[in-house]
Amino acid sequence: MNLDYLWNGFTVALTMQNLLIGLVGCFIGTLVGALPAIGPINGIALLLPIAYTMGLPAESTMILLAAVYCGAEYGGRISSILLNVPGDAGAVMTALDGNPMARQGRAGEALMLSGLSSFVGGVFGAVGLALFAPLLAGLAIGFGPAEYFVLMVFAFATLGSMVGSQPVKTLIGCTLGLMLATVGLDATSGAYRFTFNEPELGDGIEFVVLVIGLFSVSEALLILEHQASGVTVIRELGRMTARLDDIRKSIGATLRGSVIGFIVGVLPGTGASVSSAVSYTTEKRISDTEGTFGKGDVRGLTAPEAANNATACGAFVPMLTLGVPGSGTTAVMLGALMLYNIQPGPMLITERPEVVGGLVASLFIGNVLLLLLNLPLVNIFARVLTVPNWLLVPGILVLSIVGVYSTHASVFSILLMLGIGVIGWMLRKAGFDMAPIILGFVLGHVMEVNLRNALAISGGDISILFQSKISIILWILAGAMAVMPLLVGWRKAKRMKTATS
Amino acid sequence: MSDTPSSSSLVGRIGGLLMLALAIAYGIGGSQIEYAFASDPLGPRVVPVLLAIILAALCLLYLKSPGSTEAFPKGQLLVKIAAVPLLLFTSALLLEPAGFAVSIFLLTLGVGWIFGAPLRLAVVGAVGQAALWWFVFSYLLDVYLPAGRLFG
């Protein structure tokens, strides 16, 4: 296996500028993750346009965003443990045992243990990414337009079956994203689609406008709505070291969580929320012989923490090698690459080794930096939880305005962001997840281009989509993914019926 | 925050109907896209029309069982929530004529106050944020932000 790209990547990631960028990203990411409800996507969405307008090269921007992503996965545990409010979706399961530990006066131990398991999960994920990315890229080199189109169908089927409790809502979100991607000039025919004679829509909806609108503006409205429901910060952290006995007890859970997290991360369309839930329930099934899960069991804390960090790295595998994001956050990062006119796919490792290698190497370095930052500075990060909303939310809105305005100096973009934000808020109120919309938007253009190219090659014969072995396997996998929720529902209903009778 | 099941599903159904209307409008718009030539068998119309059909079908499924929906705010909270986009809208319009600092001062003051800060603290916070962000972006990060035409 050729890992040259990785060694080159270390030379990129270890330059003084990129190390500093990585450190700043880790710090900001942990802060972003620690703040309840402001997840990695928000952090990345706000930083991306600023990094772009500052003229950072693509590899430095990716290192920054990856550091924010991993940092947020580390930081998410802080509010889960101290507030019982997850910092992001991936930290939901962390609260189940982390907060009870904090209530027992073991907040410091919980923070230390979860920091260590996050590190193990992150490094495991980075090793997996380094090994699997070239393998998958090699496999994907044989992909033509038809295979790519079917791959996108598979990504949506996976998303529909695994994200959220309501697949219909997820698929509606994907479709809305695909529809938004059709706005603007159609390069093949020169036709303007859904621009309403507005010149600023000629190039389509700006990616940053959509992301910031959907995540940051709608988030601000949700925070305003939810701020009435008071939460208590646990201020007594207790001893700030992990007991050897607890470390020993949690090794198995951490390793299992890492493996599950990485595998789930690699699956296109899923994210940390799925992996942490799967690892927690698996661990509970394996280890909870005394019924201690949910009452402050270290294994219930470490398994999902390791999983969500491994997922963050695993999600880069399909994004970098196939151009299909493994999570909502990597969907945003895919958009970031496209801002730099870089098309992710199997050729990316050979064409832009500094971007792929630099990013993978920065994940190794980032995890070490995060461990070094998180263990001694956890007290400082915990204090972030006391920043009042009246100071925090205006700050988020200012960053949103700057982020959108700085890319094209256009007031229209801010107004569009605002409109998207209000619609995003309504959708979130109705139980829709925003990640499928982003995924649909990011993949929409590529999906349409590949479908049209495939049909152009076949002269309009639709059977081209079912001809190659790869396409057939992907169709079968997509079908299986689509049927899975139905089977799970049927099994659950049958089990309930048996239990009642 | 969850509403009662009946009103919750009613809100969901209204949303579903709105999306169904969007699907129909989008499909009609897609079928009327004008183009001079197409170098592929599909052209620019087919994908939008297909997407409209898919969205319409999904909306029908959704209308059958809209699932859980959070209650929409009422009364004072609704006024507060509506005020935030209004403030953002005003700030966006003021950005170029009045400049970044003034526009951001008004936004952070208004939003800070809506979020429950006492007026004095909201003013201090707004002055601080306007100055901080202007310094960070314009001087440290060299990001272009408008100084405003009103003040020369």
Side-chain angles (χ1 to χ4, degrees):
Chain A
M1 187 186 305
N2 188 358
L3 288 177
D4 285 351
Y5 81 101
L6 187 59
W7 309 128
N8 293 336
F10 272 103
T11 61
V12 173
L14 285 171
T15 60
M16 194 45 85
Q17 178 185 308
N18 286 339
L19 263 179
L20 199 65
I21 284 172
L23 187 65
V24 170
C26 288
F27 191 79
I28 294 176
T30 311
L31 286 180
V32 162
L35 290 165
I38 302 171
I41 299 188
N42 303 61
I44 287 174
L46 291 172
L47 272 179
L48 168 62
I50 295 165
Y52 183 65
T53 31
M54 278 170 65
L56 288 181
E59 60 273 19
S60 300
T61 300
M62 293 315 285
I63 287 170
L64 175 71
L65 302 186
V68 173
Y69 186 14
C70 292
E73 296 300 341
Y74 270 74
R77 77 199 205 284
I78 298 173
S79 54
S80 280
I81 291 168
L82 299 182
L83 289 179
N84 201 22
V85 177
D88 63 85
V92 170
M93 307 313 277
T94 308
L96 296 183
D97 280 281
N99 189 251
M101 278 183 79
R103 287 181 190 282
Q104 292 157 14
R106 298 164 64 204
E109 288 175 57
L111 288 167
M112 288 298 131
L113 270 173
S114 56
L116 288 171
S117 56
S118 294
F119 173 74
V120 174
V123 171
F124 184 90
V127 171
L129 169 64
L131 296 177
F132 280 93
L135 282 179
L136 198 60
L139 197 75
I141 276 177
F143 278 33
E147 287 78 11
Y148 260 113
F149 173 76
V150 189
L151 179 70
M152 309 281 162
V153 174
F154 168 64
F156 288 122
T158 315
L159 192 77
S161 67
M162 294 192 83
V163 177
S165 53
Q166 298 170 72
V168 173
K169 284 185 180 177
T170 305
L171 291 174
I172 287 178
C174 290
T175 315
L176 289 174
L178 288 165
M179 285 162 65
L180 288 170
T182 60
V183 174
L185 178 75
D186 172 42
T188 319
S189 63
Y192 282 97
R193 303 192 292 186
F194 310 106
T195 56
F196 305 103
N197 295 324
E198 175 55 57
E200 297 214 41
L201 284 177
D203 288 334
I205 295 171
E206 277 282 341
F207 177 69
V208 286
V209 171
L210 181 74
V211 174
I212 294 181
L214 282 182
F215 287 95
S216 299
V217 175
S218 68
E219 192 71 58
L221 300 178
L222 284 178
I223 293 174
L224 174 59
E225 213 180 327
H226 292 168
Q227 77 168 356
S229 54
V231 283
T232 323
V233 185
I234 293 171
R235 292 175 199 280
E236 284 303 316
L237 298 183
R239 57 180 278 182
M240 295 300 290
T241 47
R243 291 169 211 269
L244 209 62
D245 197 34
D246 283 340
I247 294 177
R248 206 176 297 136
K249 200 174 163 189
S250 60
I251 286 174
T254 302
L255 292 176
R256 278 187 289 273
S258 303
V259 175
I260 291 171
F262 181 74
I263 294 170
V264 173
V266 172
L267 284 175
T270 55
S273 51
V274 177
S275 75
S276 56
V278 172
S279 75
Y280 185 86
T281 44
T282 308
E283 201 53 45
K284 194 174 177 197
R285 205 172 294 154
I286 295 171
S287 310
D288 192 16
T289 46
E290 291 150 16
T292 49
F293 271 57
K295 295 172 187 161
D297 193 308
V298 290
R299 294 163 298 184
L301 169 75
T302 51
E305 261 313 302
N308 66 36
N309 285 274
T311 303
C313 297
F316 283 112
V317 177
M319 180 204 127
L320 292 171
T321 56
L322 303 174
V324 176
S327 67
T329 314
T330 44
V332 178
M333 294 184 72
L334 186 73
L337 278 177
M338 288 170 171
L339 268 182
Y340 281 91
N341 289 324
I342 298 173
Q343 184 59 54
M347 300 308 288
L348 189 64
I349 289 184
T350 42
E351 283 173 1
R352 298 297 296 268
E354 80 286 5
V355 174
V356 181
L359 194 147
V360 178
S362 78
L363 291 174
F364 284 102
I365 299 164
N367 272 294
V368 176
L369 290 175
L370 279 164
L371 188 71
L372 294 175
L373 274 177
N374 268 265
L375 295 188
L377 300 184
V378 74
N379 250 319
I380 293 171
F381 290 124
R383 272 178 216 279
V384 175
L385 301 178
T386 57
V387 175
N389 283 340
W390 63 263
L391 209 55
L392 177 71
V393 177
I396 293 172
L397 293 175
V398 175
L399 286 174
S400 304
I401 288 183
V402 174
V404 168
Y405 186 80
S406 61
T407 44
H408 286 299
S410 149
V411 170
F412 175 82
S413 300
I414 302 176
L415 299 178
L416 189 60
M417 167 197 83
L418 178 58
I420 289 171
V422 173
I423 293 170
W425 170 71
M426 288 179 180
L427 286 170
R428 288 170 81 167
K429 297 281 297 169
F432 285 85
D433 198 342
M434 296 296 101
I437 301 181
I438 295 294
L439 193 75
F441 182 77
V442 168
L443 296 186
H445 177 66
V446 188
M447 194 175 181
E448 183 179 0
V449 165
N450 279 302
L451 174 66
R452 287 166 70 175
N453 285 346
L455 291 179
I457 291 167
S458 71
D461 181 3
I462 204 160
S463 69
I464 191 171
L465 303 177
F466 307 91
Q467 274 170 3
S468 72
K469 274 183 194 158
I470 297 172
S471 298
I472 294 167
I473 291 169
L474 286 169
W475 277 119
I476 292 170
L477 287 173
M481 284 296 177
V483 171
M484 203 157 74
L486 296 175
L487 284 177
V488 172
W490 174 75
R491 223 180 117 187
K492 218 185 259 178
K494 198 178 162 192
R495 207 180 294 161
M496 277 176 76
K497 204 176 161 188
T498 320
T500 339
S501 63
Chain B
M1 217 16 107
S2 288
D3 208 354
T4 56
S6 55
S7 63
S8 164
S9 56
L10 180 69
V11 170
R13 289 209 165 91
I14 293 171
L17 285 173
L18 285 174
M19 279 191 287
L20 186 61
L22 170 76
I24 294 166
Y26 177 85
I28 293 171
S31 66
Q32 291 171 352
I33 291 167
E34 290 174 9
Y35 62 101
F37 72 95
S39 58
D40 63 288
L42 285 190
R45 285 181 187 160
V46 176
V47 168
V49 172
L50 274 176
L51 288 175
I53 294 168
I54 292 169
L55 182 64
L58 288 168
C59 284
L60 291 176
L61 278 175
Y62 174 70
L63 281 169
K64 204 176 146 200
S65 145
S68 58
T69 301
E70 266 190 39
F72 273 79
K74 290 174 192 157
Q76 208 186 355
L77 184 58
L78 181 64
V79 175
K80 280 183 175 182
I81 287 189
V84 174
L86 199 67
L87 272 166
L88 263 169
F89 182 78
T90 314
S91 306
L93 294 187
L94 282 176
L95 193 64
E96 287 179 342
F100 178 81
V102 173
S103 153
I104 291 309
F105 168 76
L106 291 175
L107 175 73
T108 47
L109 174 67
V111 176
W113 188 62
I114 289 171
F115 269 81
L119 194 60
R120 202 160 49 101
L121 272 181
V123 172
V124 174
V127 171
Q129 293 227 33
L132 172 79
W133 295 123
W134 176 258
F135 175 75
V136 168
F137 289 113
S138 281
Y139 290 95
L140 289 185
L141 301 178
D142 205 21
V143 172
Y144 167 72
L145 293 171
R149 294 191 294 270
L150 291 178
F151 309 103

